[in-house]
Amino acid sequence: MLKQTEGSRGVADAIALCRPEVICAYPISPQTHIVEALGVMVKSGKLTQCEFVNVESEFAAMSACIGSSAAGARTYTATASQGLLYMAEAVFNASGLGLPIVMTLANRAIGAPINIWNDHGDSMAMRDSGWIQLYAETNQEALDLHIQAFRLAEELSVPVMVCMDGFILTHAYERVDVPTQEQVDAFLPPFRPRQVLDPVKPISIGAMVGPEAFMEVRYLAHAQQEKAVDSIARIGADFQASFGRESGGLLRTYRTEDADIIVVALGSVLGTIEDTVDELRAEGKRVGVVGLTAFRPFPTVALREALGHCSRVIVLEKALAVGVGGIVTADVKASLAGLPVETTTVIAGLGGRPILKTSLRKMFDEASSGALKPMTFLDLNMDAVNREMERVG
Amino acid sequence: MSVQTIKFYQTGSFVVGNRLLEPGQRSVQSDPERSNALTSGHRACQGCGEALGARYAIDAAMRATAGNMIAVNATGCLEVFSTMSPETSWQIPWVHSLFGNAASVATGVAAALKAKGRTDIRVVAQGGDGGTVDIGFGCLSGMFERDDDVLYICYDNQGYMNTGVQRSSATPPAARTATTDVVGPEPGNVFGQGKSGPLIAMAHGIKYVATATVADLRDLEYKVERAMSFRGARYIHILVPCPLGWGSASRDTIQMARLAKETGIFPVFEAEGGQVVNVAKIRSKVPVEAYLSKQRRYAHLFGRSPRPDVVAHLQEMADDNIRKFGLVDNVAEEAY
Ligand SMILES: Cc1ncc(C[n+]2csc(CCOP(=O)(O)OP(=O)(O)O)c2C)c(N)n1
Ligand code: SF4
Ligand SMILES: [Mg+2]
């Protein structure tokens, strides 16, 4: 059904259609509207056979999710920013235990300085947590990715984080197509846990593992994520077949076929880049975009295929590894190993700084003239930076 | 899973259930067919109070639930000695997640069971004093406050034993730990700090709070069974002497627990809805010195440069407990 609705509400509707059994979350902007909506659905009896647990922290939220998932319940939570870091220990634990929890991350910057606006600093900090990470470009995709996420998580026994840009998506009203219960039921079978806490067949979950087997356990987690590369593509294709629209998959290319310069980015900024590309194409410039939907596992082979023919790749990153620069860049470079492709990092949009088409055009211009530095901060106010540097000496 | 039959190494002792008594007078522990949550072969130290307390508590919970239960364990000695992969001593569904989140994991298990309509399966969470009253305290308080259907059991050995005997907020004053060494003007742990898990649990107004020790295992079993007769959040705090951390003889574990109770150092009581409803009276009052002097963690109070002032201070604290909880009839004041 077509609906003009807020991104958060669309996600809440999608989650409800997935028949979650336990929802447990702690409020933090910009995630709040999602869990508020779900809370109302459970309390009013619209969403049945589901427990909504109000906890005292994100650490408790993820911990309760661990318990409920280990007990065989389809489990959902949502958080952002400080909340994700507050639950970090349990985030790693959930993936280590192979629990197919689905979590929405309403991407938001990490403090200090405290900042509630969007960037990808939070999810990037959990890059190596063992969770699958999918990034939504639009509200429709956010909604669709959640439906796919449960299937992916439960097929592989790996938790999935669906990242959607805070405010830009979560609080934006857009038209979305909310599927019917029958459609979702046909796509998403009931949860059959790989292992479960059951008095009839008692098992111990979470035992200590020593040096003689720890490497193997970690390798198996890695192998499972490598499997996820195929699963993400397959489930995305299945989704398209059942729902009639393209959503998900590993990555999406836009006008890249004959492109000299290709931008790689994640999330909602892709729309702005695509618009800029259209303008530049109209002027005869050979530019294109690759949007990464899957960041973990990293779609190395697909990306190499998508980028291999161009001369310059710009990785536009909404997060910063202080002391290094880009985060996604390292993985992009690794997938291009041995190919004559120049790779440039552009850090943009930190803490909600708008990423403007004019700035992107300038970036493309500099890239084609060879003036774009290997590491650029988009729209950085150097006057302010220099003043502060002088002041502190 | 293969179920291990129960082996008895001792006969006749109180601990294994008075097997020299007439069958009718024997305890359930003397029956090889009894519930058996934690089998032998685990790696606890000799004389470990925590291993004993956990087995009795979880066995009692198994009896009370006819085996329909799930246990959640915090990181700590109990977790480490009972489950080194690929082995496990647990004969029940058991999950360990982290050090500080056992209460929340249990909340999640209980929520899952409720959503599935399986509230016939009960949930018990357990952890050491550190996992309970320190790092896990936020999660515990949340679980209490929401009145989630979980029995939380704290095995209090008064320190972080698994990491090599460091101070926790349950470490008593004057006790030596690796982080409260017997150096400086106030040797051992300082006075005026620490907290009482059971009293704070009671302040949440939860259905049932009890303390127990491994010296009175019948009492412990009764309290677990009583706890399982309620729905909602419940808490049992068990004193479990740790020979390694306390510097007491392995054979003295039961005696240490008994002396902790008989001196008034560790009040044994039950509370319902935030009110004390029952206290275990001291049978014959013992001065704290009898308890302290058997543990190397208090050795600096005796010997060459004794500290009778510190011993007297500890005695005052014990006497205070006796008054507050009415542990001895003739000195009972108002119930706490
Ligand atoms: C977050 C975190 N911090 C610290 C540790 C290290 N650690 C593991 S067990 C433990 C002490 C456990 O003490 P307690 O809960 O009292 O249990 P005990 O071993 O004494 O039975 C500590 C500090 C940890 N595993 N996780
Ligand atoms: S250190 Fe203490 S608590 Fe840990 S196993 Fe040994 S006796 Fe038991
Ligand atoms: Mg301890």
Side-chain angles (χ1 to χ4, degrees):
Chain A
M1 191 183 56
L2 289 177
K3 235 173 141 179
Q4 178 75 11
T5 193
E6 198 194 31
S8 298
R9 180 71 212 196
V11 167
D13 285 346
I15 295 303
L17 288 168
C18 293
R19 303 185 184 278
E21 293 170 289
V22 174
I23 299 171
C24 182
Y26 189 81
I28 180 167
S29 296
Q31 149 266 36
T32 43
H33 293 184
I34 302 172
V35 290
E36 286 167 4
L38 285 164
V40 172
M41 288 186 225
V42 175
K43 196 153 188 286
S44 64
K46 273 204 204 117
L47 179 54
T48 54
Q49 290 170 319
C50 179
E51 287 294 305
F52 184 93
V53 190
N54 281 304
V55 281
E56 71 289 348
S57 75
E58 285 87 357
F59 178 66
M62 183 50 69
S63 301
C65 287
I66 287 169
S68 80
S69 187
R74 181 170 287 164
T75 302
Y76 171 77
T77 187
T79 191
S81 179
Q82 313 301 132
L84 183 66
L85 293 200
Y86 201 78
M87 63 165 67
E89 192 192 11
V91 170
F92 278 73
N93 192 253
S95 62
L97 294 175
L99 299 172
I101 298 161
V102 170
M103 168 160 68
T104 309
L105 188 72
N107 282 105
R108 162 181 156 182
I110 282 178
I114 189 166
N115 173 302
I116 63 165
W117 292 278
N118 166 250
D119 71 29
H120 293 165
D122 49 3
S123 50
M124 288 298 156
M126 289 296 113
R127 184 190 66 171
D128 302 331
S129 64
W131 284 58
I132 290 171
Q133 280 193 358
L134 306 176
Y135 287 76
E137 178 182 340
T138 61
N139 284 351
Q140 183 69 61
E141 196 174 35
L143 199 149
D144 296 344
L145 283 178
H146 281 91
I147 300 169
Q148 297 180 41
F150 278 108
R151 196 159 128 196
L152 184 62
E154 291 169 11
E155 273 187 24
L156 294 166
S157 281
V158 176
V160 178
M161 198 183 293
V162 180
C163 305
M164 66 188 292
D165 286 324
F167 294 112
I168 299 170
L169 294 183
T170 55
H171 287 54
Y173 278 74
E174 260 193 341
R175 195 180 73 158
V176 289
D177 186 357
V178 181
T180 62
Q181 188 67 63
E182 293 69 42
Q183 278 178 302
V184 176
D185 285 349
F187 179 78
L188 179 66
F191 174 32
R192 279 210 184 71
R194 189 180 58 179
Q195 52 174 24
V196 66
L197 295 167
D198 179 4
V200 177
K201 250 179 89 188
I203 49 166
S204 296
I205 299 179
M208 179 178 257
V209 170
E212 70 291 344
F214 193 82
M215 287 265 285
E216 286 70 19
V217 173
R218 297 312 295 159
Y219 178 81
L220 288 167
H222 177 63
Q224 203 67 354
Q225 282 253 351
E226 291 202 311
K227 257 204 235 164
V229 172
D230 289 340
S231 308
I232 291 167
R234 175 175 44 78
I235 289 171
D238 261 18
F239 186 88
Q240 190 172 1
S242 334
F243 294 81
R245 62 175 167 269
E246 196 193 332
S247 242
L250 294 168
L251 53 79
R252 190 160 320 122
T253 57
Y254 185 76
R255 307 188 82 165
T256 52
E257 319 78 55
D258 60 343
D260 273 340
I261 303 172
I262 300 178
V263 178
V264 175
L266 303 85
S268 63
V269 71
L270 286 165
T272 318
I273 305 173
E274 284 158 15
D275 284 356
T276 314
V277 163
D278 284 345
E279 289 179 14
L280 292 167
R281 281 276 178 181
E283 295 164 18
K285 308 245 166 71
R286 290 184 6 218
V287 291
V289 195
V290 171
L292 288 176
T293 306
F295 177 59
R296 284 291 175 271
F298 197 76
T300 308
V301 175
L303 192 66
R304 188 179 172 91
E305 215 160 88
L307 300 177
H309 64 280
C310 74
S311 54
R312 179 177 293 277
V313 169
I314 302 170
V315 187
L316 187 111
E317 305 215 30
K318 278 194 175 185
L320 170 66
V322 175
V324 179
I327 300 168
V328 184
T329 305
D331 298 339
V332 173
K333 274 190 176 156
S335 18
L336 294 174
L339 296 178
V341 182
E342 288 275 333
T343 310
T344 309
T345 302
V346 173
I347 306 290
L350 299 189
R353 172 80 51 97
I355 300 176
L356 305 173
K357 273 201 293 188
T358 46
S359 312
L360 292 174
R361 279 191 71 113
K362 190 162 156 269
M363 173 190 85
F364 274 114
D365 288 347
E366 285 181 10
S368 36
S369 72
L372 190 66
K373 290 195 232 87
M375 174 64 193
T376 302
F377 287 79
L378 199 73
D379 295 337
L380 187 68
N381 179 349
M382 275 316 285
D383 288 344
V385 170
N386 288 334
R387 260 199 317 275
E388 183 60 10
M389 280 183 163
E390 262 166 43
R391 194 181 67 82
V392 299
Chain B
M1 191 187 66
S2 64
V3 173
Q4 193 181 319
T5 49
I6 291 163
K7 293 173 270 181
F8 288 125
Y9 296 107
Q10 284 170 282
T11 52
S13 78
F14 191 58
V15 176
V16 296
N18 296 4
R19 286 194 299 131
L20 297 185
L21 295 178
E22 290 302 312
Q25 290 181 310
R26 290 180 195 171
S27 83
V28 284
Q29 291 293 334
S30 63
D31 183 355
E33 300 297 312
R34 67 164 161 77
S35 59
N36 183 33
L38 183 70
T39 54
S40 62
H42 56 69
R43 295 160 167 79
C45 306
Q46 208 176 36
C48 174
E50 188 161 289
L52 181 66
R55 184 166 76 67
Y56 271 72
I58 302 300
D59 273 355
M62 275 184 87
R63 280 196 301 280
T65 60
N68 255 338
M69 60 172 287
I70 293 171
V72 178
N73 217 122
T75 310
C77 270
L78 177 61
E79 167 259 331
V80 172
F81 73 60
S82 64
T83 54
M84 269 291 277
S85 179
E87 292 160 0
T88 178
S89 282
W90 297 101
Q91 311 283 303
I92 49 171
W94 178 96
V95 60
H96 160 251
S97 170
L98 296 167
F99 187 21
N101 72 354
S104 297
V105 173
T107 288
V109 174
L113 294 171
K114 197 165 167 207
K116 289 175 179 298
R118 289 303 308 272
T119 46
D120 55 314
I121 303 174
R122 308 296 301 276
V123 186
V124 176
Q126 49 184 355
D129 49 293
T132 304
V133 295
D134 286 341
I135 198 167
F137 209 50
C139 290
L140 185 70
S141 177
M143 188 278 278
F144 285 164
E145 162 278 313
R146 289 184 302 269
D147 200 24
D148 294 330
D149 191 15
V150 172
L151 167 62
Y152 190 104
I153 301 175
C154 170
Y155 302 105
D156 179 7
N157 53 22
Q158 304 187 330
Y160 298 149
M161 299 319 181
N162 186 53
T163 34
V165 195
Q166 296 87 14
R167 175 198 184 272
S168 80
S169 66
T171 301
R176 184 214 166 268
T177 69
T179 50
T180 55
D181 211 341
V182 292
V183 291
E186 210 175 329
N189 195 26
V190 297
F191 281 82
Q193 299 183 343
K195 60 177 143 180
S196 161
L199 292 183
I200 303 173
M202 282 165 60
H204 288 78
I206 58 173
K207 307 253 167 21
Y208 186 76
V209 173
T211 66
T213 77
V214 289
D216 193 344
L217 293 163
R218 281 324 145 259
D219 180 61
L220 169 57
E221 288 173 328
Y222 153 76
K223 282 169 177 165
V224 172
E225 280 160 24
R226 175 96 184 122
M228 294 314 285
S229 73
F230 294 92
R231 289 278 173 175
R234 292 141 289 145
Y235 180 72
I236 297 182
H237 189 104
I238 309 171
L239 184 74
V240 291
C242 163
L244 184 107
W246 294 16
S248 52
S250 293
R251 63 174 182 278
D252 286 346
T253 293
I254 302 298
Q255 195 189 13
M256 286 306 107
R258 183 168 299 131
L259 287 171
K261 184 222 159 202
E262 293 295 302
T263 51
I265 280 176
F266 187 84
V268 175
F269 62 93
E270 277 180 291
E272 290 181 17
Q275 300 298 316
V276 174
V277 292
N278 196 13
V279 298
K281 301 283 179 189
I282 288 173
R283 274 179 253 183
S284 57
K285 194 181 164 217
V286 182
V288 294
E289 191 171 336
Y291 169 74
L292 304 172
S293 61
K294 290 198 171 65
Q295 304 173 41
R296 276 200 310 282
R297 63 176 171 158
Y298 295 114
H300 55 285
L301 306 183
F302 307 98
R304 245 178 300 155
S305 38
R307 293 292 301 267
D309 55 326
V310 175
V311 176
H313 198 163
L314 291 167
Q315 184 65 56
E316 269 170 42
M317 290 175 68
D319 291 342
D320 214 37
N321 279 338
I322 292 171
R323 269 192 305 276
K324 269 197 215 159
F325 288 90
L327 300 177
V328 175
D329 272 334
N330 51 7
V331 293
E333 284 177 6
E334 65 187 78
Y336 188 70

